[in-house]
Amino acid sequence: MDQLVTTARRNNRQRSELTAACPVRDVLDRVGDKWSALVVRELGQGPRRFGVLRRAIEDISQRMLTETLRHLQRDGFISRRVIPATPPQVEYALTDLGQSLHVALGGLAQWSEQNHNAIRAARQQFDSETAMN
């Protein structure tokens, strides 16, 4: 069992080293996850409090939103501002780096909207062909 844990740790460390050495892989690890792009897209509309983000992004749990916000903040894409109130409020906003990411993701979002029907049709065709075999 100890050998399995040691091997898994070594593999994770090697993967981390590869990721750090490749800028594309490093950035896509962050912005290519399930929630980051949606958070950036929502914050592209302007600063938002946690509760507003949670309601705007369907199906995200409180824990996952918290984790995603921390990762985006750590990578410099968003800022976090505590608003003194009772109870304290926290507002998140895109940084300049986050704004540039929002622009890049806008192109991907536009491409996705233009090609979504074709992708769904290709999936359906593949699935029906695969089912016959």
Side-chain angles (χ1 to χ4, degrees):
M1 182 67 156
D2 289 337
Q3 187 176 13
L4 288 175
V5 171
T6 302
T7 302
R9 285 184 181 152
R10 184 175 45 249
N11 289 343
N12 284 340
R13 191 171 32 256
Q14 289 171 341
R15 198 171 321 129
S16 294
E17 290 168 5
L18 284 173
T19 297
C22 178
V24 174
R25 178 182 266 176
D26 189 31
V27 172
L28 285 179
D29 267 358
R30 171 59 42 235
V31 301
D33 68 23
K34 184 174 182 178
W35 302 111
S36 292
L38 295 174
V39 170
V40 169
R41 190 171 183 195
E42 182 62 28
L43 290 175
Q45 308 306 310
R48 300 282 191 266
R49 293 196 332 248
F50 185 92
V52 173
L53 284 169
R54 182 143 184 236
R55 286 187 296 277
I57 303 169
E58 294 181 16
D59 298 330
I60 192 167
S61 68
Q62 181 172 335
R63 179 180 166 275
M64 188 51 63
L65 179 56
T66 298
E67 189 175 308
T68 301
L69 290 167
R70 283 186 183 149
H71 288 299
L72 290 170
Q73 184 180 3
R74 179 178 181 257
D75 289 346
F77 294 118
I78 66 171
S79 63
R80 178 182 186 270
R81 181 173 71 105
V82 177
I83 302 167
T86 305
Q89 298 176 354
V90 178
E91 183 178 78
Y92 297 92
L94 292 178
T95 61
D96 289 342
L97 184 61
Q99 287 287 351
S100 68
L101 175 60
H102 182 255
V103 170
L105 289 174
L108 178 60
Q110 183 179 7
W111 181 89
S112 298
E113 290 169 7
Q114 292 171 346
N115 293 285
H116 190 237
N117 289 337
I119 292 167
R120 289 178 59 95
R123 285 180 190 158
Q124 187 174 14
Q125 181 178 350
F126 178 87
D127 291 346
S128 65
E129 290 171 0
T130 304
M132 289 181 197
N133 295 331

